[in-house]
Short mmCIF file of all heavy atoms in Angstrom, two decimals:
data_model
loop_
_atom_site.label_atom_id
_atom_site.label_comp_id
_atom_site.label_asym_id
_atom_site.label_seq_id
_atom_site.Cartn_x
_atom_site.Cartn_y
_atom_site.Cartn_z
N MET A 23 -27.50 3.33 -2.69
CA MET A 23 -26.27 3.99 -3.03
C MET A 23 -25.41 3.08 -3.90
O MET A 23 -25.29 1.91 -3.61
CB MET A 23 -25.53 4.32 -1.73
CG MET A 23 -24.82 5.59 -1.76
SD MET A 23 -24.07 5.85 -0.15
CE MET A 23 -23.78 7.54 -0.35
N ARG A 24 -24.86 3.64 -4.93
CA ARG A 24 -24.01 2.84 -5.81
C ARG A 24 -22.62 2.70 -5.25
O ARG A 24 -22.05 3.65 -4.73
CB ARG A 24 -23.89 3.53 -7.16
CG ARG A 24 -24.89 3.08 -8.11
CD ARG A 24 -24.53 3.63 -9.45
NE ARG A 24 -25.65 3.36 -10.32
CZ ARG A 24 -25.64 3.56 -11.60
NH1 ARG A 24 -24.60 4.08 -12.18
NH2 ARG A 24 -26.70 3.26 -12.31
N GLU A 25 -22.10 1.51 -5.42
CA GLU A 25 -20.72 1.29 -5.00
C GLU A 25 -19.81 1.73 -6.14
O GLU A 25 -20.04 1.42 -7.30
CB GLU A 25 -20.49 -0.18 -4.70
CG GLU A 25 -19.13 -0.42 -4.11
CD GLU A 25 -18.95 -1.85 -3.66
OE1 GLU A 25 -19.94 -2.46 -3.24
OE2 GLU A 25 -17.83 -2.33 -3.77
N LYS A 26 -18.80 2.49 -5.79
CA LYS A 26 -17.87 3.02 -6.79
C LYS A 26 -16.95 1.91 -7.27
O LYS A 26 -16.41 1.16 -6.49
CB LYS A 26 -17.05 4.12 -6.13
CG LYS A 26 -16.48 5.12 -7.08
CD LYS A 26 -16.00 6.31 -6.31
CE LYS A 26 -14.51 6.29 -6.20
NZ LYS A 26 -13.95 7.44 -5.57
N ASP A 27 -16.80 1.81 -8.58
CA ASP A 27 -15.87 0.83 -9.14
C ASP A 27 -14.45 1.32 -8.90
O ASP A 27 -14.12 2.46 -9.23
CB ASP A 27 -16.09 0.65 -10.63
CG ASP A 27 -17.37 -0.08 -10.92
OD1 ASP A 27 -17.81 -0.85 -10.05
OD2 ASP A 27 -17.93 0.11 -12.02
N LYS A 28 -13.64 0.47 -8.32
CA LYS A 28 -12.25 0.82 -8.09
C LYS A 28 -11.40 0.17 -9.15
O LYS A 28 -11.46 -1.03 -9.35
CB LYS A 28 -11.81 0.37 -6.70
CG LYS A 28 -12.48 1.12 -5.59
CD LYS A 28 -11.86 0.77 -4.28
CE LYS A 28 -12.46 1.60 -3.18
NZ LYS A 28 -11.83 1.36 -1.91
N MET A 29 -10.63 0.98 -9.83
CA MET A 29 -9.74 0.47 -10.86
C MET A 29 -8.44 0.01 -10.22
O MET A 29 -7.92 0.66 -9.34
CB MET A 29 -9.45 1.55 -11.89
CG MET A 29 -10.66 1.93 -12.69
SD MET A 29 -10.34 3.26 -13.86
CE MET A 29 -8.81 2.81 -14.59
N THR A 30 -7.96 -1.11 -10.66
CA THR A 30 -6.68 -1.58 -10.17
C THR A 30 -5.59 -1.02 -11.06
O THR A 30 -5.78 -0.81 -12.25
CB THR A 30 -6.61 -3.11 -10.17
OG1 THR A 30 -6.82 -3.57 -11.49
CG2 THR A 30 -7.66 -3.70 -9.25
N ILE A 31 -4.44 -0.76 -10.44
CA ILE A 31 -3.33 -0.19 -11.18
C ILE A 31 -2.05 -0.90 -10.79
O ILE A 31 -2.01 -1.66 -9.83
CB ILE A 31 -3.18 1.32 -10.89
CG1 ILE A 31 -2.86 1.53 -9.40
CG2 ILE A 31 -4.41 2.09 -11.27
CD1 ILE A 31 -2.30 2.90 -9.12
N GLU A 32 -1.01 -0.62 -11.54
CA GLU A 32 0.31 -1.10 -11.18
C GLU A 32 0.77 -0.30 -9.96
O GLU A 32 0.30 0.81 -9.72
CB GLU A 32 1.28 -0.90 -12.33
CG GLU A 32 0.95 -1.72 -13.55
CD GLU A 32 1.05 -3.22 -13.29
OE1 GLU A 32 1.99 -3.66 -12.62
OE2 GLU A 32 0.16 -3.94 -13.77
N GLN A 33 1.72 -0.84 -9.23
CA GLN A 33 2.22 -0.16 -8.05
C GLN A 33 2.88 1.16 -8.44
O GLN A 33 3.77 1.19 -9.28
CB GLN A 33 3.23 -1.03 -7.31
CG GLN A 33 3.77 -0.37 -6.06
CD GLN A 33 4.80 -1.22 -5.36
OE1 GLN A 33 5.14 -2.30 -5.82
NE2 GLN A 33 5.31 -0.73 -4.27
N PRO A 34 2.44 2.26 -7.82
CA PRO A 34 3.05 3.55 -8.14
C PRO A 34 4.41 3.71 -7.44
O PRO A 34 4.72 2.98 -6.50
CB PRO A 34 2.05 4.56 -7.58
CG PRO A 34 1.37 3.83 -6.48
CD PRO A 34 1.33 2.38 -6.90
N GLU A 35 5.18 4.68 -7.90
CA GLU A 35 6.44 5.01 -7.24
C GLU A 35 6.13 5.59 -5.87
O GLU A 35 5.20 6.39 -5.73
CB GLU A 35 7.23 6.03 -8.06
CG GLU A 35 7.81 5.48 -9.33
CD GLU A 35 8.92 4.48 -9.09
OE1 GLU A 35 9.67 4.62 -8.11
OE2 GLU A 35 9.02 3.54 -9.90
N PRO A 36 6.88 5.22 -4.84
CA PRO A 36 6.67 5.81 -3.51
C PRO A 36 6.96 7.31 -3.52
O PRO A 36 7.89 7.76 -4.17
CB PRO A 36 7.67 5.08 -2.62
CG PRO A 36 8.06 3.86 -3.37
CD PRO A 36 7.90 4.19 -4.82
N PHE A 37 6.13 8.08 -2.82
CA PHE A 37 6.35 9.51 -2.73
C PHE A 37 7.14 9.88 -1.49
O PHE A 37 7.60 11.00 -1.36
CB PHE A 37 5.02 10.28 -2.78
CG PHE A 37 4.06 9.91 -1.70
CD1 PHE A 37 4.09 10.54 -0.48
CD2 PHE A 37 3.11 8.93 -1.91
CE1 PHE A 37 3.19 10.20 0.53
CE2 PHE A 37 2.20 8.58 -0.91
CZ PHE A 37 2.26 9.21 0.30
N THR A 38 7.31 8.94 -0.57
CA THR A 38 8.09 9.17 0.64
C THR A 38 9.56 8.90 0.35
O THR A 38 9.91 7.80 -0.08
CB THR A 38 7.62 8.24 1.79
OG1 THR A 38 6.20 8.39 1.95
CG2 THR A 38 8.33 8.56 3.08
N PRO A 39 10.42 9.90 0.57
CA PRO A 39 11.85 9.69 0.31
C PRO A 39 12.41 8.57 1.18
O PRO A 39 12.09 8.47 2.36
CB PRO A 39 12.49 11.03 0.69
CG PRO A 39 11.37 12.01 0.70
CD PRO A 39 10.13 11.25 1.02
N GLY A 40 13.21 7.73 0.58
CA GLY A 40 13.87 6.66 1.32
C GLY A 40 13.13 5.33 1.32
O GLY A 40 13.68 4.33 1.75
N LEU A 41 11.89 5.30 0.85
CA LEU A 41 11.15 4.05 0.78
C LEU A 41 11.23 3.48 -0.62
O LEU A 41 11.06 4.20 -1.60
CB LEU A 41 9.68 4.25 1.17
CG LEU A 41 9.40 4.57 2.62
CD1 LEU A 41 7.89 4.68 2.84
CD2 LEU A 41 9.97 3.53 3.55
N SER A 42 11.47 2.19 -0.70
CA SER A 42 11.54 1.54 -2.01
C SER A 42 10.19 0.90 -2.33
O SER A 42 9.37 0.65 -1.45
CB SER A 42 12.63 0.47 -2.01
OG SER A 42 12.28 -0.58 -1.15
N LYS A 43 10.00 0.63 -3.61
CA LYS A 43 8.77 -0.03 -4.04
C LYS A 43 8.64 -1.41 -3.39
O LYS A 43 7.55 -1.82 -2.99
CB LYS A 43 8.74 -0.17 -5.56
CG LYS A 43 8.45 1.11 -6.30
CD LYS A 43 8.49 0.91 -7.80
CE LYS A 43 7.18 0.36 -8.30
NZ LYS A 43 7.09 0.40 -9.78
N ALA A 44 9.77 -2.10 -3.27
CA ALA A 44 9.74 -3.45 -2.70
C ALA A 44 9.31 -3.43 -1.23
O ALA A 44 8.53 -4.28 -0.79
CB ALA A 44 11.11 -4.10 -2.82
N ARG A 45 9.79 -2.45 -0.50
CA ARG A 45 9.44 -2.36 0.92
C ARG A 45 7.97 -2.01 1.10
O ARG A 45 7.29 -2.57 1.96
CB ARG A 45 10.33 -1.31 1.59
CG ARG A 45 10.37 -1.43 3.07
CD ARG A 45 11.56 -0.70 3.62
NE ARG A 45 11.65 -0.94 5.05
CZ ARG A 45 12.53 -0.39 5.83
NH1 ARG A 45 13.41 0.44 5.34
NH2 ARG A 45 12.56 -0.65 7.11
N VAL A 46 7.48 -1.09 0.28
CA VAL A 46 6.06 -0.73 0.34
C VAL A 46 5.21 -1.92 -0.09
O VAL A 46 4.17 -2.20 0.51
CB VAL A 46 5.77 0.51 -0.54
CG1 VAL A 46 4.28 0.79 -0.62
CG2 VAL A 46 6.52 1.73 -0.02
N ARG A 47 5.63 -2.64 -1.12
CA ARG A 47 4.89 -3.80 -1.60
C ARG A 47 4.77 -4.86 -0.51
O ARG A 47 3.69 -5.41 -0.26
CB ARG A 47 5.57 -4.39 -2.83
CG ARG A 47 4.83 -5.55 -3.45
CD ARG A 47 5.55 -6.16 -4.64
NE ARG A 47 6.06 -5.18 -5.58
CZ ARG A 47 7.35 -4.99 -5.83
NH1 ARG A 47 8.28 -5.71 -5.24
NH2 ARG A 47 7.73 -4.08 -6.70
N GLN A 48 5.87 -5.13 0.17
CA GLN A 48 5.85 -6.13 1.24
C GLN A 48 4.89 -5.71 2.35
O GLN A 48 4.11 -6.52 2.85
CB GLN A 48 7.26 -6.33 1.81
CG GLN A 48 7.33 -7.34 2.93
CD GLN A 48 6.93 -8.73 2.48
OE1 GLN A 48 7.24 -9.14 1.38
NE2 GLN A 48 6.24 -9.45 3.34
N HIS A 49 4.93 -4.43 2.73
CA HIS A 49 4.05 -3.94 3.78
C HIS A 49 2.59 -4.00 3.33
O HIS A 49 1.71 -4.37 4.12
CB HIS A 49 4.44 -2.50 4.16
CG HIS A 49 3.76 -2.00 5.38
ND1 HIS A 49 4.07 -2.46 6.63
CD2 HIS A 49 2.76 -1.10 5.54
CE1 HIS A 49 3.30 -1.86 7.52
NE2 HIS A 49 2.49 -1.01 6.87
N ALA A 50 2.33 -3.67 2.06
CA ALA A 50 0.96 -3.72 1.54
C ALA A 50 0.43 -5.15 1.55
O ALA A 50 -0.73 -5.39 1.91
CB ALA A 50 0.91 -3.14 0.13
N TYR A 51 1.28 -6.09 1.16
CA TYR A 51 0.84 -7.48 1.15
C TYR A 51 0.57 -8.00 2.55
O TYR A 51 -0.30 -8.83 2.76
CB TYR A 51 1.85 -8.36 0.43
CG TYR A 51 1.86 -8.17 -1.07
CD1 TYR A 51 2.90 -8.65 -1.83
CD2 TYR A 51 0.82 -7.52 -1.73
CE1 TYR A 51 2.91 -8.49 -3.22
CE2 TYR A 51 0.84 -7.35 -3.10
CZ TYR A 51 1.87 -7.84 -3.84
OH TYR A 51 1.88 -7.68 -5.19
N GLU A 52 1.30 -7.50 3.54
CA GLU A 52 1.03 -7.89 4.93
C GLU A 52 -0.26 -7.24 5.43
O GLU A 52 -1.03 -7.87 6.15
CB GLU A 52 2.20 -7.48 5.82
CG GLU A 52 3.45 -8.30 5.56
CD GLU A 52 4.67 -7.76 6.28
OE1 GLU A 52 4.55 -6.79 7.06
OE2 GLU A 52 5.76 -8.31 6.05
N MET A 53 -0.50 -5.99 5.03
CA MET A 53 -1.71 -5.29 5.48
C MET A 53 -2.97 -5.87 4.86
O MET A 53 -4.00 -5.97 5.52
CB MET A 53 -1.63 -3.80 5.10
CG MET A 53 -0.75 -2.97 5.96
SD MET A 53 -0.80 -1.23 5.46
CE MET A 53 -2.49 -0.80 5.81
N PHE A 54 -2.90 -6.20 3.57
CA PHE A 54 -4.08 -6.61 2.83
C PHE A 54 -4.04 -8.10 2.50
O PHE A 54 -4.51 -8.52 1.45
CB PHE A 54 -4.20 -5.79 1.54
CG PHE A 54 -4.35 -4.32 1.79
CD1 PHE A 54 -3.31 -3.45 1.49
CD2 PHE A 54 -5.51 -3.82 2.35
CE1 PHE A 54 -3.45 -2.09 1.73
CE2 PHE A 54 -5.64 -2.46 2.59
CZ PHE A 54 -4.61 -1.60 2.28
N ARG A 55 -3.54 -8.90 3.41
CA ARG A 55 -3.42 -10.34 3.19
C ARG A 55 -4.78 -10.97 2.89
O ARG A 55 -4.88 -11.86 2.05
CB ARG A 55 -2.81 -10.98 4.43
CG ARG A 55 -2.49 -12.43 4.27
CD ARG A 55 -1.76 -12.96 5.47
NE ARG A 55 -0.51 -12.22 5.58
CZ ARG A 55 0.19 -12.11 6.70
NH1 ARG A 55 -0.23 -12.67 7.80
NH2 ARG A 55 1.31 -11.44 6.73
N ASP A 56 -5.82 -10.52 3.55
CA ASP A 56 -7.15 -11.10 3.34
C ASP A 56 -7.74 -10.71 1.98
O ASP A 56 -8.59 -11.42 1.44
CB ASP A 56 -8.09 -10.67 4.45
CG ASP A 56 -8.26 -9.18 4.55
OD1 ASP A 56 -7.29 -8.45 4.24
OD2 ASP A 56 -9.36 -8.73 4.94
N LYS A 57 -7.31 -9.61 1.42
CA LYS A 57 -7.84 -9.11 0.15
C LYS A 57 -7.19 -9.79 -1.05
O LYS A 57 -7.82 -9.96 -2.09
CB LYS A 57 -7.61 -7.60 0.08
CG LYS A 57 -8.23 -6.93 -1.09
CD LYS A 57 -8.04 -5.44 -0.99
CE LYS A 57 -8.72 -4.74 -2.14
NZ LYS A 57 -8.62 -3.31 -2.05
N LEU A 58 -5.94 -10.15 -0.92
CA LEU A 58 -5.18 -10.74 -2.03
C LEU A 58 -5.36 -12.24 -2.06
O LEU A 58 -5.58 -12.84 -1.02
CB LEU A 58 -3.70 -10.39 -1.88
CG LEU A 58 -3.39 -8.91 -1.95
CD1 LEU A 58 -1.97 -8.66 -1.52
CD2 LEU A 58 -3.62 -8.38 -3.35
N PRO A 59 -5.25 -12.92 -3.12
CA PRO A 59 -5.02 -12.50 -4.50
C PRO A 59 -6.31 -12.27 -5.28
O PRO A 59 -6.25 -11.94 -6.45
CB PRO A 59 -4.25 -13.68 -5.08
CG PRO A 59 -4.81 -14.86 -4.40
CD PRO A 59 -5.13 -14.37 -2.99
N ASP A 60 -7.47 -12.43 -4.64
CA ASP A 60 -8.73 -12.30 -5.36
C ASP A 60 -9.01 -10.89 -5.86
O ASP A 60 -9.63 -10.71 -6.89
CB ASP A 60 -9.89 -12.75 -4.48
CG ASP A 60 -9.79 -14.22 -4.12
OD1 ASP A 60 -9.22 -14.99 -4.92
OD2 ASP A 60 -10.24 -14.59 -3.03
N HIS A 61 -8.58 -9.90 -5.08
CA HIS A 61 -8.85 -8.51 -5.44
C HIS A 61 -7.53 -7.73 -5.45
O HIS A 61 -6.96 -7.48 -4.40
CB HIS A 61 -9.80 -7.86 -4.42
CG HIS A 61 -11.11 -8.56 -4.35
ND1 HIS A 61 -11.37 -9.56 -3.44
CD2 HIS A 61 -12.23 -8.42 -5.10
CE1 HIS A 61 -12.60 -9.99 -3.63
NE2 HIS A 61 -13.13 -9.33 -4.62
N PRO A 62 -7.07 -7.35 -6.62
CA PRO A 62 -5.81 -6.60 -6.71
C PRO A 62 -5.90 -5.27 -5.96
O PRO A 62 -6.99 -4.73 -5.75
CB PRO A 62 -5.63 -6.36 -8.20
CG PRO A 62 -6.49 -7.38 -8.87
CD PRO A 62 -7.62 -7.64 -7.93
N LEU A 63 -4.76 -4.74 -5.58
CA LEU A 63 -4.72 -3.50 -4.81
C LEU A 63 -5.02 -2.29 -5.69
O LEU A 63 -4.62 -2.23 -6.84
CB LEU A 63 -3.35 -3.34 -4.15
CG LEU A 63 -2.98 -4.43 -3.15
CD1 LEU A 63 -1.60 -4.17 -2.59
CD2 LEU A 63 -3.99 -4.53 -2.04
N THR A 64 -5.72 -1.33 -5.10
CA THR A 64 -6.05 -0.08 -5.78
C THR A 64 -5.02 0.99 -5.40
O THR A 64 -4.19 0.78 -4.52
CB THR A 64 -7.45 0.40 -5.37
OG1 THR A 64 -7.44 0.68 -3.97
CG2 THR A 64 -8.51 -0.63 -5.69
N LEU A 65 -5.10 2.12 -6.05
CA LEU A 65 -4.21 3.24 -5.72
C LEU A 65 -4.37 3.64 -4.26
O LEU A 65 -3.38 3.91 -3.57
CB LEU A 65 -4.50 4.43 -6.64
CG LEU A 65 -3.68 5.69 -6.39
CD1 LEU A 65 -2.19 5.41 -6.57
CD2 LEU A 65 -4.12 6.81 -7.29
N GLU A 66 -5.60 3.65 -3.77
CA GLU A 66 -5.84 4.00 -2.37
C GLU A 66 -5.16 3.01 -1.42
O GLU A 66 -4.63 3.40 -0.38
CB GLU A 66 -7.35 4.05 -2.08
CG GLU A 66 -8.08 5.19 -2.74
CD GLU A 66 -8.47 4.87 -4.18
OE1 GLU A 66 -8.40 3.70 -4.61
OE2 GLU A 66 -8.83 5.83 -4.89
N ASP A 67 -5.16 1.73 -1.79
CA ASP A 67 -4.50 0.71 -0.97
C ASP A 67 -3.00 0.94 -0.91
O ASP A 67 -2.38 0.84 0.14
CB ASP A 67 -4.77 -0.69 -1.53
CG ASP A 67 -6.24 -1.09 -1.45
OD1 ASP A 67 -6.97 -0.55 -0.60
OD2 ASP A 67 -6.65 -1.94 -2.27
N TRP A 68 -2.39 1.28 -2.08
CA TRP A 68 -0.95 1.52 -2.12
C TRP A 68 -0.58 2.73 -1.27
O TRP A 68 0.39 2.71 -0.53
CB TRP A 68 -0.47 1.73 -3.56
CG TRP A 68 -0.44 0.49 -4.37
CD1 TRP A 68 -1.19 0.23 -5.48
CD2 TRP A 68 0.37 -0.68 -4.17
NE1 TRP A 68 -0.89 -1.02 -5.97
CE2 TRP A 68 0.07 -1.60 -5.19
CE3 TRP A 68 1.32 -1.03 -3.22
CZ2 TRP A 68 0.68 -2.84 -5.29
CZ3 TRP A 68 1.94 -2.27 -3.33
CH2 TRP A 68 1.62 -3.15 -4.34
N VAL A 69 -1.37 3.80 -1.39
CA VAL A 69 -1.09 5.02 -0.63
C VAL A 69 -1.25 4.76 0.86
O VAL A 69 -0.41 5.18 1.67
CB VAL A 69 -1.99 6.18 -1.11
CG1 VAL A 69 -1.87 7.39 -0.20
CG2 VAL A 69 -1.66 6.56 -2.54
N LEU A 70 -2.28 4.06 1.24
CA LEU A 70 -2.49 3.74 2.65
C LEU A 70 -1.35 2.90 3.20
O LEU A 70 -0.85 3.16 4.30
CB LEU A 70 -3.82 2.99 2.82
CG LEU A 70 -4.17 2.58 4.25
CD1 LEU A 70 -4.37 3.81 5.12
CD2 LEU A 70 -5.41 1.71 4.26
N ALA A 71 -0.90 1.91 2.45
CA ALA A 71 0.21 1.07 2.90
C ALA A 71 1.49 1.88 3.05
O ALA A 71 2.24 1.70 4.02
CB ALA A 71 0.42 -0.08 1.91
N GLU A 72 1.75 2.78 2.11
CA GLU A 72 2.97 3.59 2.19
C GLU A 72 2.92 4.54 3.38
O GLU A 72 3.90 4.69 4.12
CB GLU A 72 3.17 4.39 0.91
CG GLU A 72 4.46 5.18 0.92
CD GLU A 72 4.72 5.91 -0.37
OE1 GLU A 72 4.05 5.63 -1.39
OE2 GLU A 72 5.60 6.78 -0.35
N LYS A 73 1.78 5.18 3.60
CA LYS A 73 1.64 6.08 4.75
C LYS A 73 1.78 5.31 6.06
O LYS A 73 2.42 5.79 7.00
CB LYS A 73 0.29 6.79 4.71
CG LYS A 73 0.22 7.87 3.66
CD LYS A 73 -1.13 8.56 3.71
CE LYS A 73 -1.23 9.66 2.69
NZ LYS A 73 -2.53 10.33 2.74
N ASP A 74 1.20 4.13 6.13
CA ASP A 74 1.28 3.32 7.34
C ASP A 74 2.73 2.90 7.60
O ASP A 74 3.20 2.96 8.73
CB ASP A 74 0.38 2.10 7.22
CG ASP A 74 0.35 1.29 8.51
OD1 ASP A 74 -0.16 1.82 9.52
OD2 ASP A 74 0.85 0.15 8.50
N LEU A 75 3.43 2.48 6.56
CA LEU A 75 4.83 2.08 6.71
C LEU A 75 5.68 3.25 7.15
O LEU A 75 6.50 3.13 8.07
CB LEU A 75 5.36 1.51 5.39
CG LEU A 75 6.83 1.11 5.38
CD1 LEU A 75 7.12 0.04 6.42
CD2 LEU A 75 7.23 0.63 3.99
N ALA A 76 5.49 4.43 6.55
CA ALA A 76 6.27 5.61 6.91
C ALA A 76 6.02 6.01 8.36
O ALA A 76 6.96 6.33 9.10
CB ALA A 76 5.93 6.77 5.98
N SER A 77 4.75 5.98 8.80
CA SER A 77 4.47 6.36 10.18
C SER A 77 4.99 5.32 11.16
O SER A 77 5.45 5.67 12.26
CB SER A 77 2.96 6.57 10.38
OG SER A 77 2.26 5.36 10.22
N THR A 78 4.96 4.05 10.79
CA THR A 78 5.51 3.00 11.66
C THR A 78 7.02 3.15 11.81
O THR A 78 7.54 3.08 12.93
CB THR A 78 5.20 1.61 11.07
OG1 THR A 78 3.78 1.46 10.97
CG2 THR A 78 5.76 0.51 11.95
N LEU A 79 7.71 3.40 10.71
CA LEU A 79 9.16 3.59 10.78
C LEU A 79 9.52 4.84 11.56
O LEU A 79 10.49 4.86 12.32
CB LEU A 79 9.75 3.67 9.37
CG LEU A 79 9.67 2.38 8.55
CD1 LEU A 79 10.17 2.63 7.14
CD2 LEU A 79 10.45 1.27 9.21
N ASP A 80 8.73 5.90 11.40
CA ASP A 80 8.98 7.15 12.12
C ASP A 80 8.75 6.97 13.62
O ASP A 80 9.51 7.45 14.43
CB ASP A 80 8.08 8.25 11.56
CG ASP A 80 8.48 9.62 12.07
OD1 ASP A 80 9.69 9.87 12.20
OD2 ASP A 80 7.57 10.43 12.33
N ALA A 81 7.69 6.24 13.97
CA ALA A 81 7.38 6.02 15.39
C ALA A 81 8.43 5.15 16.07
O ALA A 81 8.73 5.33 17.25
CB ALA A 81 6.01 5.38 15.53
N ASP A 82 8.99 4.21 15.32
CA ASP A 82 10.00 3.31 15.88
C ASP A 82 11.41 3.87 15.76
O ASP A 82 12.37 3.21 16.19
CB ASP A 82 9.94 1.96 15.19
CG ASP A 82 8.66 1.21 15.49
OD1 ASP A 82 7.98 1.56 16.47
OD2 ASP A 82 8.33 0.29 14.71
N ASN A 83 11.56 5.05 15.15
CA ASN A 83 12.86 5.67 14.90
C ASN A 83 13.79 4.74 14.11
O ASN A 83 14.98 4.68 14.37
CB ASN A 83 13.55 6.09 16.20
CG ASN A 83 12.99 7.38 16.73
OD1 ASN A 83 12.47 8.18 15.97
ND2 ASN A 83 13.10 7.58 18.02
N LEU A 84 13.23 4.04 13.16
CA LEU A 84 14.02 3.17 12.32
C LEU A 84 14.40 3.92 11.05
O LEU A 84 13.67 4.79 10.59
CB LEU A 84 13.22 1.92 11.95
CG LEU A 84 12.86 1.00 13.11
CD1 LEU A 84 11.96 -0.13 12.61
CD2 LEU A 84 14.11 0.43 13.72
N PRO A 85 15.54 3.57 10.47
CA PRO A 85 15.92 4.24 9.22
C PRO A 85 14.99 3.82 8.09
O PRO A 85 14.55 2.67 8.04
CB PRO A 85 17.35 3.75 8.96
CG PRO A 85 17.46 2.49 9.74
CD PRO A 85 16.54 2.62 10.91
N LYS A 86 14.74 4.75 7.18
CA LYS A 86 13.85 4.46 6.05
C LYS A 86 14.59 3.81 4.94
O LYS A 86 15.72 3.77 4.78
CB LYS A 86 13.20 5.73 5.55
CG LYS A 86 12.23 6.29 6.55
CD LYS A 86 11.57 7.52 6.02
CE LYS A 86 10.63 8.10 7.06
NZ LYS A 86 10.06 9.34 6.69
#
């Protein structure tokens, strides 16, 4: 099976209202500490980090 090439991109704008790019970036860097800096984050990584941050904030009843 061929491994799919993942293209790296710049950080996209957050789609979750109330979340800033900086907050998502910080959470992504904490989540993917082992991956960085050798392998830049992909779009899937950014989306996963944003979803994880949003669900964590929602579960803790913290303001976004």
